[in-house]
Amino acid sequence: MVPAGINIPTDPEWVDEVLLAGPADQVCLVLDGPVDRATLRRLVAERQAVLTGAGLRAGGSVALCLPPSPAFITNLLAAWRTGARAVLLDHRLTAFEVDQALDRLAPQFLVSVASSSGGALRAFQDVREAVTVRPDGQPSDTPHALIQLSSGSTGPSKSIGRTASDLIAELDRYLKIDGVPRGGERIVSLASMVHVLGLVGGLLYGLHAGVQLVLPERMTAEAILAAVAAGPEPTTLLGVPFHIELLAAVADPPRLPQLTGMTTGGELVRAQVHDAFVDRYGIRLGNMYGMTELGVIATDLFGVNRPAVTPAPGMTIREQDGEIHIAMENSPYVGLVDPARWSDGWLHTKDAGSVDATTGLVRVKGRRDSQVSIGGLKVDLSEVEHTLAGLPGVTGAVVVFGKAIEAYVMLEEPADLDRVQGQLTERVAAYKRPRAWHVVDRLPRTATGKLVRDQSVLATERKEQTRP
């Protein structure tokens, strides 16, 4: 019995009907070995028994802070099969960031790593998980089945909610896109399952469409190509530009007749990297434009419209004052009322771009706000800047992105830079930290008092001491 006033995030039956259905002996996942649907159903049922034994119920909430692993997959599906809301936290976050997220989102339970095996380059890990009851946690107060953080952390990031219906609609959208793998084929996924491309475009779509999802043993070019070669079925690579650069650097890759193409999400691949990849592998390299808020938005999976993309089936896209807007009936943001992000049925992407009035092709020209992509992971520079500026001994800070993240800081004592860097390490995940540090006597401001973030202006304020 669900208490009155508690939202049920999802009808638990959708997990069985949309994701787990299919022939018992059909291999749906390949991690350290093949996993067929009968085995996956058994593992999910076992995890569901553990979670419900701990007290999770329909309408409840659970946060998952797990690396890519069988544990991540089974706990996620078990939570949904219980009718609970799942909050996904990137396992690379620091303990400080995880605590901040838990305080903000207040899940009733946390599933985290008790022990694991595998090094930093492992694409998946063998995890023994721990379930922690959070006495101050709250049940779901919205109908969302999934909560993700827009920048992968706390601070200025946005809590984004998606219902089961949202996820099912995106899966149906994938099925209508030309060039997406079909049943009986394989996806070798290099994208993180915590984020929307790897989660929906890889894991959930593979389960729904009967496409075998394969994770390479290690995130190296050699291991990725070995994963492709391990099966005869038509195979598509799924990743971000970082992975394309990794593979494009292979001087003489093996012949892989089963490799039919690669799809990348995130920023546009640099032209020289695109050309090197296509030349070496002789396959199509497609681009996918999407957002955590609603998943895949537009694609160019055959590279015929590069750098433009075609709206995905059912997507309505417009240009408003140089910004891309997407038609979306309800706001995806949880606990946030911000008309600058969503209003009157339109999602404001904060991406600069244009829409061709004749062809409908969309050209994305970059972010209009502070969010950037580092190796396919989203980083909100304002969050890093806010954290840095709040550290003891820091009197001012600006964080910008050129070739890498850079920090310009004003310090009470310049010799304190090592201590400040150490404190930031405790509070911010490694992929978000500045790679270059500049101690300055002053930070330039506009006439109205706003900090200037133009790098050419900031460069004039550098002192001779620069920390790489």
Side-chain angles (χ1 to χ4, degrees), residues 53 57 62 66 70 79 183 233 271 308 337 403 405:
R57 297 290 184 267
V62 56
L66 298 166
E233 300 88 353
V337 179
K403 294 182 179 180
I405 297 176

Side-chain angles (χ1 to χ4, degrees), residues 9 38 48 55 69 72 79 93 111 120 142 175 188 232 249 259 290 299 324 338 363 375 383 391 411 458 465 468:
Q48 185 176 1
S69 58
F72 174 86
L93 299 177
V111 182
T142 71
L175 288 173
V188 174
L259 183 58
T299 63
I324 295 173
D338 185 357
R363 176 76 182 274
E383 175 210 354
L391 295 178
L411 302 175
L458 287 166
Q465 181 183 11

Side-chain angles (χ1 to χ4, degrees), residues 100-101 104 149 151 153-158 380 382-383 386-387:
Q100 290 288 319
R104 174 180 172 184
L149 296 177
S151 63
S153 71
T154 58
S157 65
K158 302 172 292 299
D380 193 320
S382 64
E383 175 210 354
H386 177 81
T387 303

Side-chain angles (χ1 to χ4, degrees), residues 21 30 57 69 93 111 115 199-200 208 373 386 426 434 445 464:
V30 178
R57 297 290 184 267
S69 58
L93 299 177
V111 182
S115 63
L199 175 66
V200 184
H208 179 57
S373 182
H386 177 81
E426 296 174 354
R445 294 179 179 271
E464 292 183 0

Side-chain angles (χ1 to χ4, degrees), residues 67-79:
S69 58
F72 174 86
I73 296 169
T74 55
N75 278 279
L76 175 61
L77 298 181

Side-chain angles (χ1 to χ4, degrees), residues 18-338:
V18 177
L19 301 177
L20 295 178
D25 61 350
Q26 182 185 67
V27 174
C28 52
L29 302 171
V30 178
L31 305 174
D32 52 353
V35 179
D36 60 31
R37 289 187 178 272
T39 300
L40 181 59
R41 287 193 283 261
R42 174 178 59 80
L43 293 172
V44 171
E46 290 174 358
R47 288 312 303 171
Q48 185 176 1
V50 171
L51 292 176
T52 56
L56 184 65
R57 297 290 184 267
S61 60
V62 56
L64 306 182
C65 188
L66 298 166
S69 58
F72 174 86
I73 296 169
T74 55
N75 278 279
L76 175 61
L77 298 181
W80 284 343
R81 201 165 182 256
T82 304
R85 181 171 80 181
V87 177
L88 302 189
L89 302 178
D90 197 310
H91 71 285
R92 291 162 292 203
L93 299 177
T94 65
F96 177 85
E97 290 170 309
V98 170
D99 288 342
Q100 290 288 319
L102 294 175
D103 289 344
R104 174 180 172 184
L105 299 170
Q108 296 171 303
F109 300 87
L110 169 66
V111 182
S112 58
V113 177
S115 63
S116 65
S117 61
L121 291 177
R122 290 275 293 186
F124 59 89
Q125 297 186 29
D126 184 16
V127 170
R128 181 172 67 84
E129 62 270 63
V131 180
T132 303
V133 179
R134 303 185 69 256
D136 295 331
Q138 299 296 317
S140 174
D141 56 356
T142 71
H144 300 113
L146 176 68
I147 299 291
Q148 295 172 283
L149 296 177
S150 61
S151 63
S153 71
T154 58
S157 65
K158 302 172 292 299
S159 298
I160 295 170
R162 302 191 69 187
T163 65
S165 296
D166 293 335
L167 296 171
I168 293 170
E170 185 181 0
L171 295 177
D172 288 341
R173 209 151 64 234
Y174 269 102
L175 288 173
K176 297 174 183 176
I177 297 172
D178 190 21
V180 169
R182 303 304 182 197
E185 299 184 8
R186 295 194 307 159
I187 294 174
V188 174
S189 181
L190 317 177
S192 169
M193 285 190 286
V194 175
H195 302 284
V196 67
L197 179 63
L199 175 66
V200 184
L203 175 62
L204 303 187
Y205 176 74
L207 292 175
H208 179 57
V211 176
Q212 190 179 108
L213 181 73
V214 180
L215 299 188
E217 182 178 352
R218 294 169 63 81
M219 203 58 70
T220 63
E222 181 181 10
I224 293 167
L225 297 178
V228 173
E233 300 88 353
T235 302
T236 299
L237 287 165
L238 181 69
V240 298
F242 167 78
H243 301 123
I244 296 171
E245 294 189 12
L246 183 68
L247 293 169
V250 177
D252 187 21
R255 183 175 176 272
L256 297 169
Q258 64 272 72
L259 183 58
T260 60
M262 181 167 186
T263 298
T264 178
E267 69 272 22
L268 191 67
V269 179
R270 291 184 291 122
Q272 56 269 44
V273 175
H274 175 279
D275 294 344
F277 180 89
V278 172
D279 180 65
R280 280 172 173 74
Y281 295 94
I283 59 173
R284 61 179 176 82
L285 177 56
N287 185 39
M288 184 176 290
Y289 170 56
M291 295 178 66
T292 304
E293 286 82 345
L294 40 66
V296 60
I297 296 170
T299 63
D300 181 38
L301 299 191
F302 293 93
V304 296
N305 296 311
R306 177 182 167 86
V309 287
T310 302
M315 289 285 99
T316 301
I317 305 175
R318 75 179 185 186
E319 173 193 342
Q320 186 75 28
D321 298 327
E323 181 181 354
I324 295 173
H325 290 182
I326 317 292
M328 193 175 191
E329 184 176 358
N330 299 305
S331 171
Y333 303 114
V334 179
L336 173 69
V337 179
D338 185 357

